[in-house]
Each structure stands twice: as C-alpha cells, then as structure tokens.
Amino acid sequence: MSRVAYVNGRYIRHAEAGVSINDRGFLFADGIYEVIEVFGGRLIDEEGHLQRLARSARELRLDLPVAEAALRRILRELVARNRVSDGHVYLQVTRGAAKRDHFFPKAGTPATLVAFAHRGDRAAAEARAQSGITVISLPDIRWKRPDIKSTSLLPNVLAKQQARDAGAYEAWLVDAQGFVTEGSSSNAWIVDDAGALVTHPADSAILSGITRARLFQVAAARGLNIVERPFALAEAFKASEAFISGATTIVLPVVAIDDHKIGSGAPGPVASGLRAAFHDFAPATP
Ligand code: PDD
C-alpha cells in the first residue's frame, strides 16, 4: 500500500507530493505546524493542537487556508487512507508560494497546507521508555518566540543532532541564566526534593506543550503537586527523577543528563506512572 499525503486540496501519493520552490515554507521557513498522536486509530488531544495551530497562525499573521472542520476531516482521511493505528499526523501551513521577497506576498495569496500521517512503532517506544533516555545540555540559542510552533527549527535540529552525536536522545536547552527552558522537541520536567513536578512556566521561552498541559491533569489525579518555575541545570542533576514530554514521546524518563546519573539511573515511578496513565486522560477522537 502506498502512502498518501494531502497537498492543497488533493490527496497525492506520498512519493509524488510536493510544493513550489517558491513556497515561503521552503524559502523562509515561514510556516507553522502541528504533530498529533494517533493512538488506536484516534487523534489524541486534537482540540488542543488545533487551538495552538490557530494561535500560531494569529501570532504570525497567517491565514489558515481551510476551516477547522475541514482540517479535522483531512486529518481523519489521512489516518484512514494510510491505515494508521498508532503513529502521528503532521500538518504544516505556510504563507504560500510567491516570488522570493521578504515582504509578505500580496493579499489573497493562498496559504499552503500540507499534511501526512505516519505509523509509529509502539514496541520500540515502549522499549525506550523502559530503558529511559539520556540528555545533554546545550545553550538555548533560539529566537525569543519559541512559544510559536513555527517550522523555523534550525537551532532545534542542530541541538538534536548534537545530542545524537554525543550518544544521547535529547538536548535540554539552557538559557543565559542557567535555567533549563525545554528540550529540542519536547518539554522538560524534574521531580524536586519535595516530590513535586517542576517544569518551566509556559511563557514565551517555551512551546506550551499539549502533552505538558494534559500531564497537569494526570499528575493532579495521582496526587502530585506541580510547580511551574524555571529550574537550573544544577538542580536537575540532583533531581530524583527527570523526564520529557511531547506528542511523539508522551513521557520518556531521563536517566542521565550530561553524564550525571539521575536518581538511581533507571526510570523512576513518577515518570513511568504518568506515562502509563496518560491515555486514560487524554481525549481521543475517532
Ligand atoms: N515537538 N517543545 C518543543 C520545542 C517541541 O518541538 C515540542 C513538540 C514540545 C512538546 O509539545 P507537544 O506536547 O504539544 O507535542 C515542546 C513535536 C512533537 C515535533 O516537533 O515533532
């Protein structure tokens, strides 16, 4: 079965799907995106992701080319046509195709909408959660608006590759004051001395993760306190547990940061418990 993607109103074989070389996404990374988990054939936290997409569009003065109801239909169509049971849907909107010029294209230039679905490997994800991941720290060199889910991800891409080159899975980005903001493609969490979950406030320094927001609810139901405050890298080194969250990873325990063993050096009960409970709380829409 060949994979099918959506491009500007058409479902096209993945291998043949493409956009113009004049596309603003290609030329300027002038676009926004979302990644939504598909679990058991259902979209997880779709509402939150679409709300965040609308916000990103507003912040960048970008007009979405289709209404939300149509977007929901497209995502379902992709899940169905690609027979995705567990995996993700990816959608991206750019400011459209126009002769290369930094100014916005003239009014009426349609935005580009591309979406595709891909299957995940549930067993591999579980194995990773069982072993835990390692993280390196790097300076956060991103622009001052990472709260917008923009496709301008060069610092994130460089950080992620640097993590891989160092044998790690994720990079935690550290601001000028020494505080961990978030991961290159995930939110960052620790468990503090009092057993509370600590994660950076959802201000303009981080992406306000949809998984992160859902975990607040999961944690509360498990009687865990959550504190939104910046934490220093030094505090993370001494934390009893650390973990990351995101639509592609849900919760992954962090067992080492920069060669500092976290807790016992094995996944801890808090992170593992949150991971196990996550899908009991996250709305799943067919
Ligand atoms: N990344 N922070 C960053 C920088 C991210 O790129 C992501 C998600 C998150 C977590 O957000 P959410 O829980 O809404 O997925 C935090 C996606 C998965 C990606 O770029 O592939």
Side-chain angles (χ1 to χ4, degrees), residues 33-35 49 52 142 149 153 156 182-187 207-212 245-248:
Y33 75 107
E34 281 295 330
V35 183
H49 285 281
R52 187 173 63 187
R142 298 175 301 165
K149 200 160 174 65
L153 290 172
N156 308 60
E182 62 180 331
S184 71
S185 65
S186 58
N187 288 118
L207 183 75
S208 184
I210 305 303
T211 317
R212 173 187 181 279
S245 68
T248 48

Side-chain angles (χ1 to χ4, degrees), residues 1-7 9-14 38 41 43 72-85 88-89 115-119:
M1 189 194 75
S2 63
R3 289 178 67 200
V4 177
Y6 173 94
V7 183
R10 294 169 60 207
Y11 294 91
I12 307 174
R13 277 180 43 171
H14 210 277
V38 181
L43 294 167
R72 288 175 190 264
R73 277 197 298 276
I74 293 163
L75 299 179
R76 275 157 188 74
E77 192 68 27
L78 287 170
V79 169
R81 289 194 190 213
N82 292 286
R83 295 197 200 127
V84 177
S85 175
H88 301 91
V89 286
F116 48 83
H118 49 118
R119 294 180 185 171

